[in-house]
Amino acid sequence: MKTKTVYYLTFVLTMLVCIQSHAQNRGTLLNPFLGIAGTRGSDEIRTPSFGATAEFFLDETFSVGAIVTYSTVEPEVSFTDEDTQTNGLTIGAFANYYWTDSESFNFYTGIGLGYDGHDGPYVDGSIYFEIHAGGRYQLSENLGLFAELGYGLALFKLGMSFKL
């Protein structure tokens, strides 16, 4: 599991460097968040999960980025009395399309794909898919708040956006 995670993390970091060079003039956001509720297959995600995204704008309506999430997962069914929870990292990439072009509020939808690194005796690491819709409210030029509803990493994400 650790070898796979290192390979995936190296891939994501390489992708970020390539995208960053292209997106430098358009804008970059760092978005830490809390994830609330959700499932991965039949496994339940314990609340809260913690994560962050690095989002690079290619133009005013389209962005791509990377996501890292730390969460605790517990199988829905367990046939033992021992603790079956596992902690792990999820890493992946995403793309967002922005439907509004406002200085103060933006509505967007997006998709994501990555590797869920929860490996344990009852939970296996796997590829995940995410679909989400969200909104971002800018408090100032460099600081904003966002919320997302989705399926994949968390049912609800709530966080802050920092423009770099």
Side-chain angles (χ1 to χ4, degrees):
M1 188 294 246
K2 291 182 182 183
T3 305
K4 284 183 184 178
T5 303
V6 169
Y7 289 135
Y8 286 115
L9 189 57
T10 303
F11 171 75
V12 169
L13 290 175
T14 303
M15 181 187 74
L16 287 175
V17 169
C18 294
I19 293 171
Q20 174 64 23
S21 64
H22 177 72
Q24 222 166 19
N25 296 333
R26 309 258 190 224
T28 302
L29 295 177
L30 181 61
N31 306 306
F33 64 86
L34 290 175
I36 300 169
T39 60
R40 285 199 186 93
S42 63
D43 302 327
E44 181 180 335
I45 300 171
R46 293 291 178 195
T47 298
S49 58
F50 304 95
T53 65
E55 186 173 1
F56 308 104
F57 284 84
L58 302 178
D59 62 24
E60 290 79 22
T61 60
F62 190 71
S63 69
V64 295
I67 187 166
V68 176
T69 305
Y70 177 81
S71 61
T72 300
V73 175
E74 182 172 0
E76 183 178 311
V77 177
S78 176
F79 300 102
T80 179
D81 291 336
E82 67 185 71
D83 186 16
T84 57
Q85 294 182 358
T86 61
N87 300 321
L89 288 175
T90 302
I91 58 174
F94 67 91
N96 286 337
Y97 181 80
Y98 284 79
W99 297 92
T100 57
D101 188 18
S102 168
E103 293 282 327
S104 60
F105 180 78
N106 292 304
F107 173 74
Y108 58 92
T109 55
I111 58 171
L113 183 67
Y115 179 73
D116 177 16
H118 287 83
D119 284 336
Y122 304 101
V123 179
D124 292 329
S126 61
I127 301 296
Y128 82 89
F129 173 76
E130 177 183 41
I131 186 166
H132 58 262
R136 178 176 293 113
Y137 179 74
Q138 289 299 124
L139 299 171
S140 69
E141 183 179 338
N142 296 324
L143 178 65
L145 301 174
F146 75 92
E148 286 182 8
L149 287 174
Y151 174 80
L153 291 175
L155 181 62
F156 183 67
K157 293 179 198 165
L158 185 62
M160 299 179 74
S161 294
F162 300 98
K163 187 173 182 179
L164 303 178

